[in-house]
Amino acid sequence: MLVEGHPYLPNASSVFKEMLMEVGVESTDEFFRDLPNQSFELCGIPTKPLDEPSVINEVKRILSKNKVYAKSFTGGGPWYHYVPSIIKYLISRGEFLTSYTPYQPEISQGVLQALFEFQSMICELYKMDVANASLYDLPTAIGEAALLSARVTGRRKFVIPAYLPNDRKNVILNYTYPMDIRLVEVPLSKDDGCPDLEYLKTVVDSETSGIYIETPTFFGTINANIKAFVEVAHDAGALAIVGADPLSLGLFRPPGEYDADIAVGDGQPLGIPPGAGGNTLGLMVCRDDPRIIRQLPGRIVGLTRSKDEGRRGYVLALSTREQHIRREKATSNICTNEALLAISAAIYIATMGRKGIARVAKKIMYNTQYVLDRLREFGISPLFKCLHFRDFAINVGDIERVNRALIQNEIMGGRDLEKEFGMAGVSLFAVTELHTKEDIDLFAKILATEGRTKGV
Amino acid sequence: MFRQARFNEPLILEMGQNGRIGSNIEECELDINGIPRELLRSDLNLPEVSEVEVVRHFTRLSQMNWGVDLGPYPLGSCTMKYNPRLNEELAWLDEVQLIHPLQEMEGALEIMYKLDIALSSLTGMKRFTLQPAAGANGEFTGCLIMRKYHKDNNQERDEIIVPDSAHGTNPASAAMAGFKVVEIPTGRDGLIDLEILKEAVSSRTAGLMMTNPNTLGIFEKNALEIAEIIHDAGALMYYDGANLQGILGIARPGDLGFDIVHLNLHKTFSTPHGGGGPGSGPVGVKEHLEEYLPIPLVKFNGKGYELEWDRPKSIGKVRGWYGSFPVLVKAYTYLLSMGIEGLRLSCKIAVLNTNYFAKKVSTIRGFSLPFGEVYRKHEVVISAENLAKETGVTALDVAKALLDRGLHPPTIYFPLIVKEALMFEFTDTETKENIDLYISALKEISDIAYSNPSQLKEAPKNTSIGRLDEVFANHPKTMCLSYRMLKKSHASGK
């Protein structure tokens, strides 16, 4: 027993003995008589609590070994986008931060309405009618979409681009193989880094539950022909699942306009800092089709009315899909999701608004064109000769040498696609709305000096 | 007197005026001529609101929401303990939020490594992955490990045994990993019935998923025998760590025969739930399963920390990157703030709080304590079955009546094996005064139920809104899941 008490443990005080007496036991040991094997040594944790100044010192001492870079040109995500200052304040409010999943709707209208607004604004971005209240991240969202397509169509073959980052591919595989869903990979077209459309047509058939395509792709390329891909899926009775970056939709045509059935994305660009890859937000959106809606994974908030006064209110809807009711027959096992980051994204979209989202997307596009123009002036061109948004792959020759030179200038360098895909000398970069002209000029100059472009 | 804020707050999409902006991010002169017109977006229906409107709107919404910062939140199996602000402060440092997973991040790896050591020690496991995004993602990880382990041993095992008192995620996760779920009923003492278990076990059994203490708050005292039955059959023992608070630092799953453990850092280790995430569900295993853990793990190479990718037998990945890093920082901070003695004490106090409450509540008319007088651990399930039979006041009505008194209700109607269940977990951070408030409130509710039950059917009146129409929310004709659907239904006159 800690005689000195503990700030988080109010009953470590005089009431401790009082309560023991009320229960009629001498000590708490009596509660644990049924536990076997109570003798062991613990390690890795201090024996006594540290006081607050000591905890701050220790955690900061360790974290100070993480270098925070002034600029990043690293592609493939997570990205460094603008984070409005009000977001941290609002999501730190205890009523949001310290609440649970809103099982008691009457006392949880705040979180419910905020999540309904998140769903609604994600729907507007993707121009589709239904969104869930979040999944863990993009990789698991694609995995869930694959399972969803299999449930809707009763088929067991899912088609994906061959060039997805290992994270994504690996998670999709783990979600699908236990359900005996076969993954088929479509090689990429050398022109635009998108899957080869003609090849796709040869593999999509009456066994196919769905196809997954991205725009922009992992390589930042825009799929100019996306409607044709969607049609290939529909002609075979399969679902068309589109991965689209939410910020790109401030400029580019949304999945709802080219008849995608389901859209997925990573919400991290919506005002969420990278957090070592730990601040992820899986988005899932679909058409207003009961066949799909009834099979969606995850929480969904619905609008309803109060029984007494008919006032507008919000509840968790369609919960008969979920694990706490349907158990092994649930559409997914997901319970805790990314609610606070969904609220964070809702605050971001509202703050940026109609104009701001378009401005950010334009600025990213402007910077993408600017960086590619500058590189071209030095005789460096992107791996794919087509329209890019934010991310772009470059054959820099000696990846390590270039990244080292960038780091010397306080700039985080490219993602190594030689290691990831065996693409010799290729790095994946990105620019966002936060890069200045000077940043980009410096970056281009370093690449021109240090890169030994070999030609593709 | 409790009164929750009640704003008639419109949807943010219904607010604002043309031309308003919430952010003055610079406009740039993009030449769109190089972009094919058919690729461009023509309209975007998002709010036009100023920054002050956004701040007021979300502040108002927050005021229509309950949190641990406002008072007790005694949801069973959720461990809604206080979320220290110190955790938040440290997790918001630039060295946490502004680092990229592909950069060198010695500090981040050190925290992950030290968390692995601490969690392994606390649970009696060999090693932990910190990758899973939440408890259910951890369960899925554990099930994939079981699958691969048996496959590598040339065993065809396609069944997982789950007690009927288990959390819904257990059977759902097992099913997602391709297993058939075999459900076994709880015995009369609230525990797994060894005879029934023996009958359910076969050469097809891959594992048993078990929560201990179980969802009734009762410790499965036959844990070692159960493990023996399962291991003798060549199957594995999986520990659902949702209820670790009940034995934290007093006994360890690894010493109780478990092979795989998932923890919920957002329960036992004080990181906030955030209205439903982000959480973190690390998974630990014993030595014979270590090689199956997801890639990458963090290792110490004698000089520094590094990610260990070359692990050929690994199940691969269950989500992107390495885990919910900011959540990991919060949990590590908590471990330092508590120390081993503080963690042990937190367990003792959580259990004392439960038994203090259980003793007092069981004397209130209409409420009973199913499965006898055995001491509970961190949580207790009481039944309002008698109250419902005798007065018509159900567990749901009791919950709504608690709301009116400014007391967040417990989990209700779970576990499914108790009729009119009310599942309370006050946690280690609740005051005796507040537990007493619940006892007097339940006494008052019971008195009203036996004198004027209809009064309780109208609750809650003091919350932001009264009881909500679930049928309206779920009926295909009235279901509305977004603002786009709302506008459509208005347009069609529904």
Side-chain angles (χ1 to χ4, degrees):
Chain A
M1 177 81 193
L2 289 168
V3 280
E4 65 270 36
H6 192 285
Y8 306 158
L9 301 173
N11 292 348
S13 60
S14 58
V15 298
F16 191 83
K17 281 227 154 67
E18 272 177 52
M19 293 172 79
L20 283 176
M21 275 169 55
E22 291 271 3
V23 181
V25 292
E26 288 281 308
S27 90
T28 51
D29 292 348
E30 295 192 33
F31 299 138
F32 299 107
R33 298 227 185 275
D34 48 357
L35 301 194
N37 300 339
Q38 292 191 28
S39 175
F40 49 84
E41 292 289 315
L42 292 177
C43 64
I45 308 167
T47 307
K48 302 260 179 209
L50 303 187
D51 65 10
E52 186 165 310
S54 309
V55 176
I56 293 172
N57 278 341
E58 175 60 8
V59 175
K60 282 192 175 172
R61 184 188 66 77
I62 301 174
L63 287 172
S64 68
K65 298 175 193 172
N66 288 342
K67 179 155 175 58
V68 177
Y69 287 95
K71 286 288 166 186
S72 165
F73 279 82
T74 311
W79 299 271
Y80 292 78
H81 286 286
Y82 163 56
V83 180
S85 57
I86 62 172
I87 288 183
K88 178 182 166 189
Y89 159 68
L90 287 170
I91 63 168
S92 297
R93 286 190 63 91
E95 302 93 327
F96 287 142
L97 181 74
T98 71
S99 65
Y100 199 74
T101 300
Y103 288 137
Q104 293 288 338
E106 300 90 346
I107 202 165
S108 312
Q109 286 297 296
V111 161
L112 284 162
Q113 183 172 336
L115 291 175
F116 185 84
E117 291 177 352
F118 164 76
Q119 293 171 186
S120 294
M121 290 190 284
I122 293 298
C123 285
E124 297 296 345
L125 271 178
Y126 287 83
K127 222 170 176 181
M128 297 169 90
D129 289 318
V130 181
N132 73 8
S134 80
L135 298 169
Y136 306 132
D137 61 5
L138 176 59
T140 58
I142 305 167
E144 290 279 14
L147 298 179
L148 168 57
S149 71
R151 289 194 298 271
V152 170
T153 61
R155 301 175 181 180
R156 287 277 181 282
K157 175 171 149 187
F158 192 71
V159 180
I160 59 170
Y163 285 83
L164 287 178
N166 285 335
D167 270 24
R168 256 172 249 179
K169 211 188 254 185
N170 210 312
V171 172
I172 298 169
L173 185 66
N174 270 334
Y175 268 68
T176 49
Y177 91 85
M179 295 290 116
D180 295 323
I181 296 168
R182 192 158 59 93
L183 290 180
V184 177
E185 296 185 8
V186 179
L188 60 74
S189 143
K190 290 212 163 52
D191 303 329
D192 62 2
C194 298
D196 186 302
L197 184 60
E198 293 312 312
Y199 188 96
L200 181 83
K201 285 177 185 163
T202 65
V203 296
V204 174
D205 56 22
S206 61
E207 302 289 303
T208 308
S209 67
I211 67 166
Y212 175 67
I213 34 172
E214 297 184 335
T215 185
T217 63
F218 178 59
F219 303 107
T221 58
I222 297 294
N223 187 333
N225 208 8
I226 188 113
K227 196 158 173 38
F229 287 75
V230 171
E231 279 165 7
V232 171
H234 288 171
D235 288 347
L239 298 186
I241 296 146
V242 174
D245 179 89
L247 278 182
S248 74
L249 301 178
L251 181 63
F252 291 101
R253 178 160 282 201
E257 283 189 10
Y258 47 82
D259 300 327
D261 300 290
I262 297 166
V264 292
D266 188 335
Q268 183 268 327
L270 300 172
I272 300 170
N279 288 334
T280 55
L281 172 62
L283 308 175
M284 181 174 278
V285 203
C286 75
R287 286 192 288 115
D288 183 4
D289 177 343
R291 283 187 321 152
I292 301 174
I293 295 171
R294 296 269 160 200
Q295 292 296 339
L296 278 174
R299 311 280 188 205
I300 305 174
V301 178
L303 187 147
T304 186
R305 57 192 184 193
S306 66
K307 287 181 179 174
D308 51 0
E309 300 165 307
R311 291 173 65 223
R312 192 194 269 182
Y314 306 86
V315 290
L316 291 175
L318 299 171
S319 39
T320 50
R321 299 166 298 116
E322 291 191 70
Q323 45 77 28
H324 60 286
I325 295 178
R326 193 56 61 85
R327 298 177 80 83
E328 68 267 23
K329 296 195 178 68
T331 56
S332 168
N333 68 338
I334 193 166
C335 180
T336 289
N337 45 80
E338 302 293 322
L340 193 68
L341 295 177
I343 293 174
S344 173
I347 297 166
Y348 174 83
I349 301 172
T351 305
M352 302 313 290
R354 182 190 306 228
K355 279 200 181 130
I357 293 281
R359 279 184 189 176
V360 169
K362 271 191 199 161
K363 181 76 198 239
I364 295 169
M365 193 66 205
Y366 178 89
N367 278 345
T368 311
Q369 291 185 346
Y370 182 74
V371 71
L372 293 178
D373 286 347
R374 286 313 313 261
L375 289 171
R376 252 179 232 115
E377 285 169 25
F378 292 115
I380 303 169
S381 45
L383 197 59
F384 302 104
K385 317 278 181 292
C386 64
L387 200 59
H388 286 74
F389 180 82
R390 189 177 55 202
D391 301 81
F392 51 97
I394 302 267
N395 188 338
V396 298
D398 190 336
I399 296 170
E400 272 185 33
R401 181 188 156 103
V402 169
N403 280 351
R404 220 177 304 125
L406 288 166
I407 293 258
Q408 274 163 12
N409 288 277
E410 295 286 303
I411 297 170
M412 254 193 287
R415 178 165 172 163
D416 186 337
L417 298 190
E418 184 169 325
K419 265 191 214 151
E420 199 155 344
F421 295 145
M423 290 177 155
V426 177
S427 256
L428 186 66
F429 297 103
V431 286
T432 71
E433 72 281 14
L434 293 180
H435 290 92
T436 63
K437 184 174 169 300
E438 291 72 28
D439 297 333
I440 293 174
D441 290 345
L442 177 62
F443 168 78
K445 210 177 117 199
I446 295 170
L447 247 63
T449 320
E450 304 293 331
R452 288 177 287 110
T453 311
K454 290 178 210 154
V456 187
Chain B
M1 182 68 170
F2 169 71
R3 284 258 190 271
Q4 194 180 23
R6 178 179 282 223
F7 301 107
N8 282 317
E9 191 65 9
L11 287 167
I12 189 88
L13 287 138
E14 297 164 327
M15 296 169 64
Q17 300 290 342
N18 287 343
R20 277 193 194 150
I21 54 170
S23 162
N24 58 356
I25 189 138
E26 197 191 354
E27 177 95 67
C28 71
E29 294 301 320
L30 174 69
D31 177 13
I32 54 167
N33 287 328
I35 307 172
R37 181 152 265 210
E38 70 273 12
L39 293 180
L40 289 171
R41 178 161 201 151
S42 52
D43 66 316
L44 182 58
N45 180 37
L46 289 175
E48 293 184 85
V49 287
S50 56
E51 183 172 319
V52 59
E53 288 169 284
V54 177
V55 170
R56 281 187 185 147
H57 174 70
F58 285 98
T59 302
R60 283 172 165 230
L61 290 189
S62 76
Q63 292 191 340
M64 294 193 284
N65 212 73
W66 191 256
V68 177
D69 279 5
L70 286 160
Y73 214 137
L75 294 172
S77 286
C78 298
T79 314
M80 292 294 285
K81 62 170 72 178
Y82 170 60
N83 311 127
R85 284 284 159 173
L86 174 59
N87 299 355
E88 300 305 311
E89 185 174 317
L90 294 173
W92 271 105
L93 292 173
D94 286 355
E95 288 79 6
V96 175
Q97 295 293 342
L98 297 186
I99 58 171
H100 191 284
L102 291 175
Q103 75 174 82
E104 280 186 28
M105 43 176 199
E106 183 79 4
L109 296 183
E110 184 171 337
I111 289 215
M112 290 161 78
Y113 181 79
K114 289 185 162 166
L115 199 52
D116 168 9
I117 300 281
L119 298 178
S120 295
S121 172
L122 273 171
T123 54
M125 293 289 131
K126 175 76 187 326
R127 206 168 183 190
F128 264 82
T129 171
L130 307 169
Q131 190 176 110
N137 198 215
E139 292 172 18
F140 181 59
T141 306
C143 290
L144 290 180
I145 290 172
M146 290 196 245
R147 209 183 145 107
K148 191 127 202 280
Y149 170 80
H150 290 308
K151 186 162 183 268
D152 281 3
N153 289 307
N154 297 314
Q155 301 264 323
E156 270 189 51
R157 292 172 178 268
D158 58 357
E159 294 179 357
I160 282 186
I161 301 175
V162 179
D164 60 357
S165 62
H167 304 115
T169 47
N170 288 183
S173 300
M176 262 178 86
F179 289 104
K180 204 177 121 211
V181 176
V182 178
E183 191 179 90
I184 53 167
T186 298
R188 239 177 294 171
D189 50 0
L191 302 175
I192 290 176
D193 184 316
L194 296 183
E195 294 312 311
I196 294 175
L197 178 67
K198 281 179 196 158
E199 272 173 41
V201 171
S202 74
S203 60
R204 303 217 70 93
T205 309
L208 167 71
M209 293 180 90
M210 192 170 156
T211 308
N212 198 10
N214 64 26
T215 58
L216 297 164
I218 302 175
F219 183 76
E220 299 273 1
K221 60 182 180 193
N222 303 318
L224 294 174
E225 266 182 280
I226 291 170
E228 206 180 313
I229 294 169
I230 295 298
H231 287 151
D232 283 351
L236 296 167
M237 289 285 288
Y238 181 95
Y239 184 86
D240 176 334
N243 291 357
L244 182 71
Q245 184 67 51
I247 59 169
L248 182 66
I250 313 280
R252 307 189 301 178
D255 303 331
L256 301 174
F258 288 94
D259 305 291
I260 310 174
V261 169
H262 93 256
L263 302 177
N264 299 75
L265 299 186
H266 48 288
K267 295 182 180 177
T268 324
F269 298 94
S270 87
T271 78
H273 281 71
S280 174
V283 170
V285 294
K286 289 248 179 86
E287 196 165 358
H288 58 289
L289 298 174
E290 186 184 347
E291 56 193 350
Y292 298 103
L293 284 172
I295 43 171
L297 296 178
V298 182
K299 76 170 180 192
F300 183 65
N301 61 19
K303 276 187 283 182
Y305 303 91
E306 62 179 84
L307 291 169
E308 191 185 335
W309 287 97
D310 186 20
R311 307 182 60 255
K313 286 200 165 181
S314 164
I315 60 161
K317 304 215 71 177
V318 292
R319 72 172 295 192
W321 302 114
Y322 321 130
S324 310
F325 182 62
V327 180
L328 305 182
V329 172
K330 296 177 196 185
Y332 186 68
T333 302
Y334 178 72
L335 290 178
L336 298 184
S337 300
M338 296 303 282
I340 294 168
E341 286 186 10
L343 293 173
R344 282 206 174 111
L345 185 60
S346 83
C347 171
K348 291 175 183 174
I349 291 179
V351 174
L352 174 62
N353 286 351
T354 305
N355 285 294
Y356 174 81
F357 174 75
K359 174 137 193 195
K360 296 215 158 185
V361 79
S362 58
T363 63
I364 301 173
R365 191 178 175 197
F367 297 111
S368 63
L369 207 55
F371 303 107
E373 299 294 319
V374 52
Y375 288 126
R376 301 309 200 260
K377 293 296 181 286
H378 65 300
E379 69 189 7
V380 62
V381 179
I382 61 176
S383 170
E385 190 182 2
N386 292 338
L387 191 77
K389 269 192 201 148
E390 290 160 16
T391 71
V393 172
T394 63
L396 182 77
D397 298 327
V398 173
K400 302 306 178 196
L402 284 169
L403 285 175
D404 265 349
R405 286 155 179 80
L407 299 171
H408 195 284
T411 302
I412 53 174
Y413 299 107
F414 187 85
L416 308 170
I417 53 174
V418 173
K419 287 183 182 154
E420 300 295 330
L422 294 150
M423 183 196 206
F424 282 93
E425 178 181 4
F426 283 104
T427 83
D428 48 312
T429 66
E430 203 45 75
T431 63
K432 173 182 179 288
E433 297 89 311
N434 279 335
I435 299 171
D436 287 338
L437 273 181
Y438 273 82
I439 291 161
S440 52
L442 288 168
K443 176 90 180 54
E444 188 193 336
I445 292 166
S446 162
D447 289 346
I448 299 172
Y450 284 98
S451 56
N452 184 13
S454 62
Q455 193 189 324
L456 293 171
K457 295 285 175 188
E458 287 153 27
K461 292 283 172 202
N462 300 337
T463 45
S464 303
I465 198 161
R467 280 195 211 190
L468 290 153
D469 191 338
E470 301 273 350
V471 177
F472 187 90
N474 289 298
H475 194 279
K477 283 200 170 139
T478 48
M479 186 172 68
C480 173
L481 308 175
S482 67
Y483 184 59
R484 287 175 70 83
M485 287 177 92
L486 181 68
K487 280 192 303 181
K488 270 197 202 167
S489 68
H490 283 167
S492 67
K494 271 198 241 170

